[in-house]
Amino acid sequence: MAKNSKLKWNRKHLLGIRDLSAGEIEFILDTAEGFAEISTRSIKKAPPLRGKVVVNMFFEDSTRTRLSFTLAASRLSADIIDFTKKASSVSTGETLIDTARNIEALGIDIVVIRHNAGGAPKLLSRNINACVINAGDGFNEHPTQALLDVYTIRQAKGSLKGLKIGIVGDIAHSRVARSDIWAMTKLGAEVTLIGPPTLMPSCVDRLPVNVCYKLDDVIERLDVINMLRIQFERMGKQQFPSIREYSHFFGLNVERMKRAKGDIIVMHPGPINRGLEIESEVADGKNSVILKQVSNGLAVRMAVLFLVNQAAMREAKSRKK
Amino acid sequence: MSQTDKILIKNGRVIDPANNVDEKADVLVAGGRIEQVGSIKEEAGKIIDAAGMLVVPGLIDLHVHFREPGDEEEETIASGSAAAVAGGFTSVVCMPNTDPAIDDQPSVEFVHRMGRQARKTFIYVMGAITKARQGVELAEMGLMARAGAVGFTDDGAGLQDTALMLRALKYASMFDVVIAQHCQDDSFGTAGVMNSGYNCTILGLPGIDPLIEEMMLWRDVQLVKRANVRYHAQHISTAGSVEIIAEAKKKGLPVTCEVTPHHLLLTDDAILDYDTNFKVNPPLRTAKDIEALKQAIKDGLVDALVTDHAPHLQSEKELEFLSAPFGIASLECALSLYVKALIEPGVVDWSGLISLLTCRPAGVIGIDKGTLSEGAQADITIIDPDAEYTIDRETFVSKGRNCPYHGWDVKGRVETTIVGGEIRFSRG
Amino acid sequence: MKVILDANQIKVVLGELTAAIAADVPAGMDIAIIGIRSRGEIIARRLSKSLSESLGKAVPFGTLDITLYRDDLNDPHGQDQPIVQGTIIPFDVNEKIVILVDDVLYTGRSTRAAMDALIDLGRPKAVRLAVLIDRGRSGRELPIQADYAAHKVDIPPSQLVEVNLVETDEKDQVIVE
């Protein structure tokens, strides 16, 4: 339920979590709770985005996030178009802004963008009138993933205040980790990053987190463990000697789980590399909320689509006046 | 020589650091040369009243990119030259990273010829150390030097191969030239787009570690010990580089270095909004690095201030931060930037600043310029030190609009630029 | 400001409302009460209780959030922000007589939205509208009327009706400003 109805959501773009206040994050989560029910109906649809056009601009491969946004937008009765293009790193051909302006000329209302360059959604938001939702940019942010993560944690634990959360894996190249760090710490959790030093970002000591190089040292204390996917495609150079060695030190296996709290929840942004960062038995076990994350993602994305559109409507109205 | 061809600059404050001059005086120009500095009663065809102005040797910029040949839509030698004199520069050194690279004698001659045709500023050239700047085979440095190249660099890239770099230094030592280096060790990876640090972490952009610059600079200093040739570190940007330079100079090695205005004025905080006008290589560093560079200037460790003027198309700078090209265009407002970075906080006085823009850079490339000695070529810049204005990139003569200082309120402005005895730029 | 119903009067009229609804329930039919957020929900909760007592069987109760069905989402009034709180209807609406409950019937737009929202949830046997205050026809904008009105009074559009209920406000009262 919306506990703080005085708070206003005035952002027509969702570019990242770093800029949001705890109140804004909670407002999205509260709103998402209101949307969760729609997915339980036999007619899974509500009309608030009727006549609105959402474009999925995906410059990077993604199946799950795109599906989730597509479904979220359809449940709100929007029209959805897909634009998929491999981003080129060279400065030839049509630029992002050109592409966006062309698509905008078709009369779109919301752009959901996934891009390999950090900051691309921000660049877009400065250059078009439509709402922009960041569906993952480089290794900068993936705000809706973080929102669904904290939504799932709140659902399981009631609140994030004082929870000890471990994020394990390639922090340096992970947009999920960055958004999670902001969302979780803003909501009062204590976050520990766990991974080899080669997968930690520079000046990690200045982030509001603890850093630990040994999963075994902290596993017993954690209330929540988020196992990041090892993204071979995002790592420029070899950051650890072998998958075997990585799994040995940082994989979440049955043995390690025995030492964890009985009510620890196990999360993973997907898709899972079974046997690499997480053993199948753990991924499918009783502590796993991995599939809940997926369904919650839908509610969160519906909420975000609804809120940015409402902010845009109010902005347009006040501009008319 | 008739009186009518003469130029008399009256009542200015003449600052000529090479000659230890800083006094109110008149300057008489005749036949393209400085005829006299002092109290002059003589009549002249052109009289410039420089009361309240600084009259200084023509400014020299050791590091500009005029993009010709190859990228004339970004800048040409003509447009760059016009920008240079508008910024008070009477001599500039063009970098060889054009397309094709300036890596042979005809290319050097081409740049010189285009410079003469533009008839604005003196154009000097540094040739490439290696063919096509590939870092594999030595370019014909000797023939380029004979054609007038004042030095060599693979600027835009560092020369990675240590053995080849040593050979280049040794080989170049038989010509009186300087070997300049863009210090960047690619073994750390080449994906970086901004300083490696907290800001790159929270922006999710790949970083450029200060070590990338420092490792190559340190290596080069070791090599210079083996080859008796002048070595010049281009656009140093980190506190660590300052230490390496200080150490090398203490040992008496023939090592010089240069610093850009952006590395004195801007930190990587500027990138928090992903504005690509702040994307530059070496990247903007931290406040600590700025302090170290300023201290180095104060201590006399820095030999030249350079703009690294790097114009780019607006459409390219509109790309994602990851894809946009590196570079800042600042030739026309450079003097005001140096005033802001160095004079206003009291790092150097006017005489100190002018020396870093005249006689000292002239020494780095070994040209007989940068003074107002009687008989010297009449390259003179007249500056209004009190003029206040707002930088407006839309008024630039340069084709480059990628200027992050747009909208800055600054002080100190070039009023007149005289090159070889001709007034090539006059404000108003 | 004028109090048109005090706590006691509200109790009385809601009692009458319960009786009227109960009297209409056909034999063998299930009824359910669904309140429109937020004050309709409270009145519905009270009605569900009193109807359960008077009918001698549990009358299920649900809450309907009509935010997503409002017709002004694309034309927001000022900086008023619609708050989505969610629909909670823990029973099947199919084949039931649904009594839709709101605090005030005025323009009829909330009722229209509520009917659309309800239809997305299933196919009730019938939908009836029960309200605490029926402001009369003068401000009505849609062809909608209440089946049951606890209190009917003509109030011109220039005036504001405010329903206070002890569950969320300090006390039970209806005032006109």
Side-chain angles (χ1 to χ4, degrees):
Chain A
M1 302 306 108
K3 283 139 196 152
N4 186 358
S5 58
K6 271 186 198 128
L7 191 119
K8 280 211 163 63
W9 176 269
N10 282 325
R11 296 174 190 265
K12 60 182 271 199
H13 309 300
L14 178 68
L15 303 176
I17 303 290
R18 187 161 58 91
D19 300 334
L20 303 186
S21 67
E24 285 176 303
I25 296 170
E26 278 168 348
F27 189 79
I28 299 175
L29 302 184
D30 293 343
T31 305
E33 280 181 7
F35 279 96
E37 173 265 336
I38 296 174
S39 299
T40 65
R41 301 178 188 170
S42 65
I43 299 171
K44 299 177 182 60
K45 224 175 181 66
L49 294 186
R50 206 161 57 91
K52 303 291 172 198
V53 183
V54 175
V55 58
N56 281 327
M57 280 180 84
F58 277 61
F59 293 89
E60 220 180 51
D61 287 335
S62 155
T63 313
R64 312 151 136 282
T65 306
R66 190 154 53 87
L67 274 182
S68 185
F69 268 109
T70 301
L71 209 49
S74 358
R75 291 207 170 155
L76 301 182
S77 307
D79 294 314
I80 300 118
I81 49 175
D82 272 328
F83 176 89
T84 314
K85 188 183 166 194
K86 264 265 185 279
S88 66
S89 54
V90 292
S91 55
T92 52
E94 201 176 46
T95 66
L96 172 64
I97 292 176
D98 281 335
T99 307
R101 284 178 185 151
N102 271 280
I103 290 179
E104 190 169 49
L106 294 172
I108 55 159
D109 302 284
I110 301 174
V111 181
V112 176
I113 178 176
R114 158 75 56 102
H115 203 285
N116 65 322
K122 187 154 201 168
L123 174 68
L124 195 61
S125 72
R126 277 202 295 257
N127 286 281
I128 62 173
N129 287 320
C131 301
V132 176
I133 297 174
N134 181 1
D137 60 331
F139 33 91
N140 179 33
E141 286 229 40
H142 191 352
T144 56
Q145 176 71 42
L147 289 167
L148 75 90
D149 285 347
V150 291
Y151 183 95
T152 305
I153 297 170
R154 205 170 78 156
Q155 194 176 51
K157 302 279 185 186
S159 156
L160 275 83
K161 282 229 162 50
L163 288 186
K164 292 186 167 51
I165 303 179
I167 304 177
V168 186
D170 181 1
I171 312 295
H173 304 90
S174 173
R175 52 191 170 216
V176 176
R178 282 176 179 72
S179 288
D180 270 351
I181 289 167
W182 303 123
M184 292 166 179
T185 54
K186 279 169 200 260
L187 296 186
E190 185 193 306
V191 174
T192 303
L193 305 179
I194 303 147
T198 46
L199 293 181
M200 291 293 166
S202 42
C203 297
V204 67
D205 52 306
R206 287 180 59 192
L207 291 170
V209 296
N210 308 313
V211 177
C212 176
Y213 303 133
K214 291 194 179 121
L215 179 52
D216 286 325
D217 284 359
V218 287
I219 182 88
E220 288 163 13
R221 296 203 297 272
L222 298 177
D223 300 299
V224 178
I225 188 164
N226 191 8
M227 303 302 296
L228 298 178
R229 173 184 162 78
I230 288 295
Q231 309 207 56
F232 299 100
E233 68 277 12
R234 239 183 272 289
M235 284 188 279
K237 292 191 172 179
Q238 185 198 16
Q239 312 280 352
F240 50 82
S242 70
I243 289 172
R244 187 162 158 260
E245 181 156 326
Y246 179 87
S247 300
H248 181 78
F249 289 104
F250 300 103
L252 190 57
N253 52 33
V254 175
E255 276 312 299
R256 282 206 168 93
M257 277 299 284
K258 282 182 186 157
R259 298 183 41 226
K261 285 185 180 176
D263 64 348
I264 189 175
I265 60 168
V266 175
M267 308 177 75
H268 191 294
I272 297 175
N273 296 309
R274 284 179 186 267
L276 202 175
E277 65 263 353
I278 190 164
E279 250 176 28
S280 282
E281 274 185 78
V282 179
D284 307 330
K286 67 175 174 54
N287 298 85
S288 168
V289 292
I290 296 172
L291 291 176
K292 273 193 192 138
Q293 287 176 271
V294 177
S295 9
N296 289 339
L298 209 49
V300 162
R301 290 183 176 115
M302 282 195 268
V304 168
L305 285 163
F306 175 76
L307 290 174
V308 296
N309 180 60
Q310 279 301 303
M313 291 291 121
R314 286 202 304 281
E315 189 202 87
K317 178 108 177 185
S318 64
R319 214 176 324 130
K320 239 183 267 170
K321 282 178 190 165
Chain B
M1 176 100 226
S2 75
Q3 265 187 359
T4 51
D5 294 331
K6 294 184 177 181
I7 303 172
L8 179 60
I9 306 162
K10 287 186 75 72
N11 304 320
R13 173 181 162 195
V14 175
I15 301 177
D16 181 11
N19 293 313
N20 274 320
V21 171
D22 184 350
E23 64 193 16
K24 197 169 172 192
D26 308 326
V27 177
L28 182 65
V29 173
R33 304 217 160 248
I34 309 280
E35 189 164 286
Q36 195 189 343
V37 178
S39 182
I40 300 166
K41 298 277 173 274
E42 197 174 332
E43 286 302 308
K46 169 79 179 170
I47 294 175
I48 298 172
D49 180 11
M53 305 278 176
L54 309 180
V55 180
V56 307
L59 309 183
I60 299 171
D61 191 337
L62 295 184
H63 197 139
V64 300
H65 298 270
F66 283 176
R67 306 295 185 209
E68 190 175 353
D71 289 301
E72 289 85 354
E73 71 284 10
E74 294 181 341
E75 193 82 291
T76 61
I77 291 169
S79 66
S81 297
V85 290
F89 293 96
T90 57
S91 297
V92 298
V93 180
C94 292
M95 291 297 116
N97 61 334
T98 48
D99 184 15
I102 309 300
D103 65 353
D104 61 8
Q105 178 186 339
S107 312
V108 171
E109 286 167 351
F110 167 79
V111 176
H112 285 154
R113 185 170 76 248
M114 298 310 283
R116 283 195 302 276
Q117 285 176 7
R119 209 177 167 78
K120 289 288 186 189
T121 187
F122 281 106
I123 296 278
Y124 292 91
V125 183
M126 280 201 195
I129 301 173
T130 64
K131 286 182 183 159
R133 298 169 51 252
Q134 294 292 302
V136 179
E137 287 178 79
L138 291 180
E140 292 171 340
M141 289 192 275
L143 293 175
M144 286 192 275
R146 202 181 58 182
V150 291
F152 297 93
T153 175
D154 278 358
D155 184 49
L159 210 173
Q160 305 299 315
D161 185 328
T162 306
L164 182 59
M165 182 62 185
L166 181 58
R167 269 206 313 280
L169 290 166
K170 281 184 170 171
Y171 185 78
S173 68
M174 70 172 152
F175 315 106
D176 184 23
V177 292
V178 63
I179 297 289
Q181 179 84 287
H182 165 130
C183 292
Q184 178 178 320
D185 181 344
D186 290 347
S187 69
F188 284 87
T190 52
V193 294
M194 67 175 289
N195 184 43
S196 177
Y198 180 69
N199 284 334
C200 95
T201 291
I202 64 168
L203 291 171
L205 291 171
I208 301 174
D209 197 298
L211 278 176
I212 290 177
E213 174 176 315
E214 293 154 9
M215 290 300 287
M216 185 170 280
L217 177 58
W218 183 85
R219 178 202 74 176
D220 285 354
V221 169
Q222 310 316 306
L223 300 180
V224 169
K225 292 176 184 167
R226 296 286 193 86
N228 189 28
V229 68
R230 286 183 283 132
Y231 172 85
H232 180 67
Q234 297 179 289
H235 44 49
I236 63 164
S237 68
T238 76
S241 291
V242 169
E243 276 180 42
I244 296 166
I245 293 285
E247 193 65 20
K249 290 201 168 190
K250 211 165 96 188
K251 290 202 174 96
L253 296 171
V255 169
T256 55
C257 71
E258 65 186 31
V259 172
T260 68
H262 42 273
H263 290 121
L264 294 170
L265 286 167
L266 304 168
T267 69
D268 62 359
D269 288 345
I271 297 167
L272 289 174
D273 214 26
Y274 294 98
D275 184 341
T276 57
N277 285 319
F278 295 97
K279 182 176 176 181
V280 66
N281 189 21
L284 303 177
R285 305 286 188 182
T286 66
K288 183 178 125 287
D289 296 298
I290 289 183
E291 280 322 300
L293 291 172
K294 285 183 176 171
Q295 189 59 44
I297 288 170
K298 205 167 190 166
D299 296 345
L301 291 171
V302 174
D303 303 274
L305 296 170
V306 303
T307 57
D308 191 4
H309 175 75
H312 285 290
L313 293 179
Q314 203 59 21
S315 59
E316 287 182 307
K317 280 289 190 181
E318 279 182 2
L319 292 171
E320 304 84 316
F321 201 91
L322 207 56
S323 318
F326 293 101
I328 286 174
S330 61
L331 200 48
E332 279 156 82
C333 56
L335 179 76
S336 315
L337 300 174
Y338 296 132
V339 169
K340 198 176 212 46
L342 300 172
I343 301 253
E344 287 175 10
V347 177
V348 293
D349 59 13
W350 270 104
S351 179
L353 175 63
I354 296 305
S355 74
L356 287 166
L357 288 165
T358 56
C359 51
R360 295 192 67 190
V364 170
I365 54 170
I367 57 170
D368 185 19
K369 293 226 166 187
T371 77
L372 296 177
S373 306
E374 285 171 15
Q377 196 156 32
D379 292 351
I380 302 168
T381 300
I382 302 174
I383 298 163
D384 180 349
D386 301 317
E388 293 178 14
Y389 72 103
T390 303
I391 295 172
D392 179 1
R393 63 185 167 207
E394 302 309 324
T395 64
F396 283 178
V397 189
S398 164
K399 292 187 179 187
R401 296 285 181 275
N402 49 314
C403 175
Y405 313 106
H406 180 67
W408 281 31
D409 291 323
V410 290
K411 202 172 167 184
R413 191 176 202 179
V414 171
E415 292 300 318
T416 305
T417 309
I418 297 169
V419 182
E422 280 182 26
I423 298 173
R424 296 272 172 88
F425 172 79
S426 182
R427 189 168 303 283
Chain C
M1 189 190 97
K2 182 180 133 202
V3 177
I4 58 167
L5 288 179
D6 63 18
N8 214 21
Q9 288 166 308
I10 288 177
K11 200 174 169 191
V12 171
V13 298
L14 283 182
E16 290 164 6
L17 193 62
T18 305
I21 295 170
D24 277 357
V25 180
M29 275 311 289
D30 283 333
I31 68 161
I33 303 286
I34 292 179
I36 299 172
R37 280 191 195 277
S38 53
R39 289 199 176 62
E41 175 194 353
I42 297 166
I43 296 165
R45 198 185 291 273
R46 294 185 190 178
L47 284 178
S48 150
K49 192 160 169 263
S50 57
L51 276 165
S52 300
E53 283 163 9
S54 102
L55 292 173
K57 61 175 178 181
V59 174
F61 153 77
T63 302
L64 196 60
D65 185 336
I66 60 163
T67 311
L68 303 180
Y69 294 81
R70 280 165 55 164
D71 60 8
D72 59 353
L73 283 179
N74 288 332
D75 185 24
H77 309 302
Q79 286 301 298
D80 161 41
Q81 171 147 322
I83 308 283
V84 178
Q85 294 175 279
T87 287
I88 305 168
I89 296 182
F91 53 85
D92 187 357
V93 299
N94 285 299
E95 298 307 318
K96 286 196 176 64
I97 293 179
V98 170
I99 312 293
L100 200 56
V101 180
D102 207 353
D103 55 349
V104 180
L105 174 61
Y106 178 32
T107 60
R109 288 181 188 270
S110 296
T111 312
R112 195 284 309 163
M115 285 194 289
D116 280 353
L118 197 53
I119 298 305
D120 274 1
L121 299 174
R123 186 174 185 278
K125 179 84 188 158
V127 180
R128 313 247 186 261
L129 177 62
V131 298
L132 176 62
I133 306 290
D134 182 344
R135 290 185 52 163
R137 303 284 292 275
S138 61
R140 201 66 44 85
E141 292 167 4
L142 293 174
I144 283 169
Q145 291 172 57
D147 296 289
Y148 310 101
H151 185 69
K152 240 178 147 158
V153 52
D154 276 326
I155 299 168
S158 61
Q159 291 183 310
L160 208 72
V161 175
E162 193 183 308
V163 175
N164 296 330
L165 296 169
V166 73
E167 287 88 338
T168 50
D169 314 299
E170 276 175 7
K171 54 181 175 178
D172 275 8
Q173 65 174 7
V174 179
I175 54 182
V176 173
E177 301 192 44

